[in-house]
Amino acid sequence: MKYLDEYRDPKTAQLLLDEIRRITTRHWTLMEVCGGQTHSLLRHGIAVELEGTVELIHGPGCPVCVTDQAAIDFACQLAQREEIVLASFGDMLRVPGSHGSLLDAQATGAHIQIVYSPSDAVELARKQPETQFVFFAVGFETTAPATALAIKQAARYRLENFSMIVSHVRVQPAMESLVQAPENRVQAFLAAGHVCTVMGYESYESFVNRYQLPVVVTGFEPLDLLDGILACVKQLEANEAMLENRYARTVQAAGNRSAQDLVQEIYQVCDRAWRGFGTIPKGGLELRPEWQQFDALLRFNKPAIPVFKRDECQSFEVMTGQIKPPECPHFGTRCTPESPLGAPMVSSEGACAAYYRYGVTTTP
Amino acid sequence: MSSNNNPASWQLNCPVSIPANAEYVTLAHGEGGRLSRKLIQEHILASLNNEYLIALNDAAQLPKIEGPLALTTDSFVVSPLFFPGGDIGSLAIFGTVNDLAVSGAKPLWLTLSLILEEGFPLAILDRILESIARAARETCIKIVAGDTKVVPRGVADGLFINTAGVGELITPIPPGPATLQVDDELIISGPIGRHGIAVLATREELGLEPLPLSDCGSLLQSVELLRSGIGNQVRCLRDATRGGVAAVLHEWAEASELTLSIEERNVPVSPEVRGVCELLGLDPLHMANEGTMVIAVKPGAGTAAVEILKSIPETATAQQIGIVKSRGIVPVTIRRTLDSEQPLDDPLGSPLPRIC
Ligand code: SF4
């Protein structure tokens, strides 16, 4: 797979690292927005290599981790019902709700089926008309087109046994809420390449102007990330705030119009509760009224998912860079990767989970 | 929930065709009467017969052997039953034989218990028994005792197999992971993650091209070659089954209280496996193998071990992947693109595909 190797070349990586170190004159704090980027930064050791030069704050960008506990609780409840099968992406299964995760629910008899695409869930519904299939639609703007397509397929087949718990979240409103917080420490953003592939990056123009922070669209391979970090640091050192696309091999300014149209057709913007954040204005997508026959909330008589109250988890403080995970009182005691309390401990690439494993290396 | 009620809906994904007038396992096949005998005579003995089994005694009577014995047991519940590169039958034999081989034993005898679900097609059972017989012949292990149970529909997933394997320990016996020392060298016998990805791709009908093939196979020959070539230099061997290479390294690190450190770029991964893993956010180091092992040898013996392994096709892409170090704070580390050492996660349950 040459495509990947090109973006993992150790020599080039070292050159980029040296260059970042060379031009950095003071401590800068960057945030990578997307969980995929966090994963890659940790997996390839970039965050550690940059310690003392550039501080990376691991953003809220894992749609699985920020899914509100109340939505998971609802999914668990539905899956317990005799006539319902809950179809979900695999990584949603370990995320705890208030009474355990979907995996726990499955162990006590709930019907859960892992799928690899929303269309798989539609196919299941088509093949087994006597069973209600509920797809747990989680993800950023990147996955929204695929779930929108699933709704259209279900409509075309006139399926009466397919619906969705729509938990899509939108990245930019979360970035806004972060920079507006008085505690904000983020000085520049690595914008999520995948999301921009779909949404384009034009909309960041006004964001950059409003907040005077550099935003650099960045990919996921180690060289992509180092390149994006270097671009951020260059701007910061030059006291500039611009929008830059360093992922041009995939991302175009306007994004993928047909995917956007599809999302527009099926969904509308709504306020959404983010785990660890509370409600973010315009932070989510919900079905438009004309597609609401596919809304599992309505079909199974749940008028609205109540917002789960902010718990003892200090993930907001972690995600705004105010505290490092080990400073959270629950870190490593009540909260571990095996039994996580909050979003950043939930997935192995979350900041708390990563620190849990390293933290041990950095404390003497 | 209807998916299990209908034999036709079982995921016997392989090119398995079930004849229209197929006969199925019924509860009566498990009740010890005439049908039970028919099942044993016409299906099981027809495929697996040998001088021990033919006696049909309650216990196999086995000859005396010289050395101490190794005993292992395992259960096989793979779904689907057929996957590219193997099936539950060959898996059961190779799995047991490999457990004996990596423990330093010459595999001798094996017991085989079949737990069949009511409604299981006998034609499929025959195919699996043939596969068992073939694998047993290939590894010179004799099936000396067995048992068959039938459970009501819905209680099992088609067929479960349990085995116990007996082998004779032969010197030098690898002393085991507790004896690992600093500077010992770590080797992998072939490309990793193939079984896990083959089963996943088949079970979930991912429709991949080319289809990833499982590495389901015997490690006996490569272990024998290592033994005769550098037997005294081998510290420990382990087939990297569930939990993959990462789980083996973690177990060894725990047993030895040392740090095991590997280089990602030296770990052989086939392009198909790597592609699927990238796509689904899985780590090949966490994916199961069924004919690939991790080996630790004394300092300086790595090159010789790799040379030996490379001399046979099954382990032709063996590689040295790392080294044992004094205990840092992290038990297992990996170097990826950048040269810094990163902790390598101990897999937490089965790997679940990511979306982000
Ligand atoms: S350690 Fe756990 S409780 Fe504390 S902030 Fe992190 S996820 Fe939340």
Side-chain angles (χ1 to χ4, degrees):
Chain A
M1 216 179 255
K2 178 150 185 316
Y3 190 67
L4 289 176
D5 292 333
E6 254 173 59
Y7 300 99
R8 290 186 179 177
D9 174 50
K11 284 209 191 76
T12 320
Q14 202 54 52
L15 288 177
L16 285 166
L17 259 181
D18 292 345
E19 181 64 5
I20 294 169
R21 291 195 183 112
R22 192 184 64 79
I23 67 163
T24 308
T25 59
R26 44 174 286 210
H27 179 104
W28 298 113
T29 311
L30 316 185
M31 174 177 276
E32 84 283 358
V33 176
C34 166
Q37 293 172 328
T38 306
H39 179 74
S40 200
L41 285 168
L42 298 170
R43 180 179 154 101
H44 294 283
I46 296 172
V48 183
E49 281 294 318
L50 287 174
E51 246 167 49
T53 313
V54 174
E55 182 182 345
L56 287 157
I57 298 181
H58 308 305
C62 164
V64 170
C65 315
V66 300
T67 299
D68 192 38
Q69 238 157 310
I72 298 170
D73 294 346
F74 180 53
C76 289
Q77 274 170 31
L78 288 188
Q80 300 281 6
R81 283 169 54 168
E82 194 45 47
E83 75 282 17
I84 299 178
V85 171
L86 185 94
S88 169
F89 292 128
D91 52 357
M92 207 56 231
L93 264 54
R94 286 213 183 92
V95 187
S98 32
H99 318 286
S101 64
L102 285 166
L103 218 49
D104 297 326
Q106 190 176 31
T108 56
H111 314 134
I112 293 160
Q113 171 107 39
I114 296 185
V115 289
Y116 292 79
S117 83
S119 309
D120 291 351
V122 176
E123 263 316 288
L124 286 170
R126 230 158 66 88
K127 283 192 192 141
Q128 296 177 54
E130 74 286 7
T131 305
Q132 284 286 336
F133 283 88
V134 178
F135 178 66
F136 200 171
V138 186
F140 286 127
E141 289 91 333
T142 349
T143 40
T147 61
L149 195 65
I151 294 277
K152 291 195 76 168
Q153 286 170 337
R156 184 158 2 102
Y157 297 134
R158 299 205 170 78
L159 294 184
E160 287 176 3
N161 64 330
F162 179 82
S163 58
M164 299 211 283
I165 302 173
V166 180
S167 255
H168 284 299
V169 283
R170 300 176 66 230
V171 173
Q172 224 185 69
M175 289 165 69
E176 303 234 0
S177 105
L178 277 167
V179 289
Q180 282 168 5
E183 314 84 353
N184 172 51
R185 294 178 56 227
V186 178
Q187 294 170 303
F189 282 102
L190 303 176
H194 287 163
V195 171
C196 294
T197 309
V198 177
M199 300 310 289
Y201 54 85
E202 291 164 335
S203 60
Y204 283 118
E205 205 73 67
S206 71
F207 182 90
V208 170
N209 292 335
R210 258 178 297 148
Y211 300 105
Q212 284 301 306
L213 298 177
V215 172
V216 176
V217 179
T218 307
F220 298 83
E221 292 301 322
L223 294 192
D224 289 326
L225 285 158
L226 287 165
D227 181 58
I229 294 168
L230 179 60
C232 279
V233 174
K234 274 188 183 155
Q235 285 197 41
L236 289 167
E237 290 285 345
N239 197 21
E240 287 172 344
M242 292 184 310
L243 174 61
E244 246 184 281
N245 178 17
R246 303 296 302 178
Y247 198 36
R249 70 175 188 273
T250 316
V251 174
Q252 260 100 55
N256 179 338
R257 286 272 191 237
S258 52
Q260 289 166 29
D261 291 345
L262 190 59
V263 173
Q264 275 282 329
E265 184 188 344
I266 306 290
Y267 298 115
Q268 62 193 17
V269 171
C270 66
D271 298 348
R272 163 95 359 105
W274 283 48
R275 186 177 192 137
F277 273 72
T279 299
I280 295 186
K282 302 196 178 135
L285 294 172
E286 64 183 7
L287 288 169
R288 287 186 178 279
E290 55 271 37
W291 301 100
Q292 275 175 357
Q293 73 267 32
F294 295 108
D295 190 335
L297 283 173
L298 300 177
R299 179 168 303 179
F300 302 104
N301 300 326
K302 194 111 192 196
I305 294 183
V307 174
F308 191 83
K309 282 197 299 301
R310 196 90 159 250
D311 45 24
E312 327 96 299
C313 165
Q314 307 208 352
S315 55
F316 186 74
E317 287 77 1
V318 169
M319 288 191 256
T320 48
Q322 298 166 63
I323 63 166
K324 293 282 174 210
E327 294 167 51
C328 165
H330 309 302
F331 179 85
T333 51
R334 284 181 56 219
C335 184
T336 62
E338 285 71 30
S339 74
L341 272 186
M345 192 65 97
V346 164
S347 79
S348 56
E349 53 256 43
C352 294
Y355 268 81
Y356 182 78
R357 296 202 155 95
Y358 287 117
V360 224
T361 62
T362 45
T363 32
Chain B
M1 299 285 304
S2 62
S3 62
N4 265 342
N5 295 346
N6 166 10
S9 78
W10 275 330
Q11 299 213 329
L12 303 165
N13 286 303
C14 222
V16 180
S17 53
I18 305 171
N21 58 348
E23 287 180 74
Y24 297 104
V25 171
T26 64
L27 286 174
H29 280 110
E31 275 157 13
R34 194 164 54 84
L35 268 182
S36 293
R37 281 199 301 282
K38 196 165 138 75
L39 179 74
I40 292 167
Q41 291 291 353
E42 289 177 11
H43 297 273
I44 297 176
L45 286 184
S47 302
L48 305 180
N49 210 356
N50 61 41
E51 67 270 32
Y52 301 107
L53 216 50
I54 192 82
L56 283 183
N57 283 335
D58 281 342
Q61 298 181 355
L62 303 169
K64 195 173 166 183
I65 55 168
E66 296 269 300
L69 295 177
L71 174 64
T72 183
T73 180
D74 214 336
S75 296
F76 300 84
V77 295
V78 64
S79 163
L81 300 175
F82 295 84
F83 46 83
D87 58 76
I88 190 171
S90 56
L91 187 69
I93 303 300
F94 291 137
T96 313
V97 165
N98 289 346
D99 280 348
L100 290 170
V102 298
S103 316
K106 174 175 181 266
L108 295 173
W109 303 306
L110 189 129
T111 71
L112 184 81
S113 285
L114 306 176
I115 296 169
L116 290 153
E117 184 179 8
E118 177 190 16
F120 192 74
L122 285 168
I124 305 276
L125 178 63
D126 286 340
R127 273 194 50 163
I128 291 169
L129 288 167
E130 265 162 44
S131 170
I132 289 175
R134 213 175 310 122
R137 268 196 308 276
E138 198 182 304
T139 52
C140 298
I141 196 163
K142 289 230 160 83
I143 296 160
V144 294
D147 180 47
T148 309
K149 291 279 183 311
V150 180
V151 294
R153 178 167 291 180
V155 172
D157 191 8
L159 167 67
F160 297 151
I161 298 181
N162 171 271
T163 61
V166 176
E168 182 181 7
L169 284 163
I170 312 171
T171 39
I173 300 162
T179 66
L180 284 171
Q181 305 271 316
V182 174
D183 290 334
D184 280 353
E185 295 172 14
L186 301 168
I187 293 147
I188 186 92
S189 69
I192 62 167
R194 286 176 292 164
H195 180 71
I197 292 296
V199 169
L200 182 80
T202 317
R203 185 174 60 219
E204 308 301 341
E205 298 174 24
L206 295 183
L208 299 173
E209 251 339 297
L211 219 57
L213 283 189
S214 168
D215 59 342
C216 177
S218 159
L219 286 167
L220 202 52
Q221 200 192 351
S222 33
V223 173
E224 273 166 10
L225 286 175
L226 278 178
R227 180 197 297 290
S228 55
I230 54 155
N232 291 320
Q233 315 266 34
V234 177
R235 299 251 198 230
C236 45
L237 309 145
R238 173 71 61 76
D239 49 342
T241 52
R242 258 180 316 168
V245 173
V248 172
L249 295 174
H250 273 273
E251 271 182 48
W252 287 5
E254 197 169 307
S256 63
E257 297 178 1
L258 295 167
T259 286
L260 275 56
S261 180
I262 64 168
E263 306 270 339
E264 182 179 53
R265 69 194 80 138
N266 292 345
V267 179
V269 184
S270 70
E272 298 92 82
V273 167
R274 193 162 158 191
V276 180
C277 284
E278 288 291 335
L279 202 68
L280 300 177
L282 302 168
D283 191 337
L285 287 161
H286 289 169
M287 303 305 293
N289 307 278
E290 285 297 346
T292 302
M293 63 180 159
V294 189
I295 303 139
V297 295
K298 291 183 184 170
T303 318
V306 169
E307 284 305 307
I308 292 170
L309 290 168
K310 284 192 164 169
S311 69
I312 55 167
E314 290 86 340
T315 47
T317 53
Q319 282 260 20
Q320 194 167 329
I321 58 165
I323 195 155
V324 179
K325 298 182 171 175
S326 60
R327 186 54 177 261
I329 300 145
V330 175
V332 181
T333 66
I334 180 162
R335 273 188 222 264
R336 303 194 199 254
T337 300
L338 298 175
D339 264 349
S340 61
E341 283 185 37
Q342 297 298 114
L344 176 67
D345 270 7
D346 198 3
L348 182 69
S350 69
L352 295 174
R354 284 210 328 255
I355 56 158
C356 60

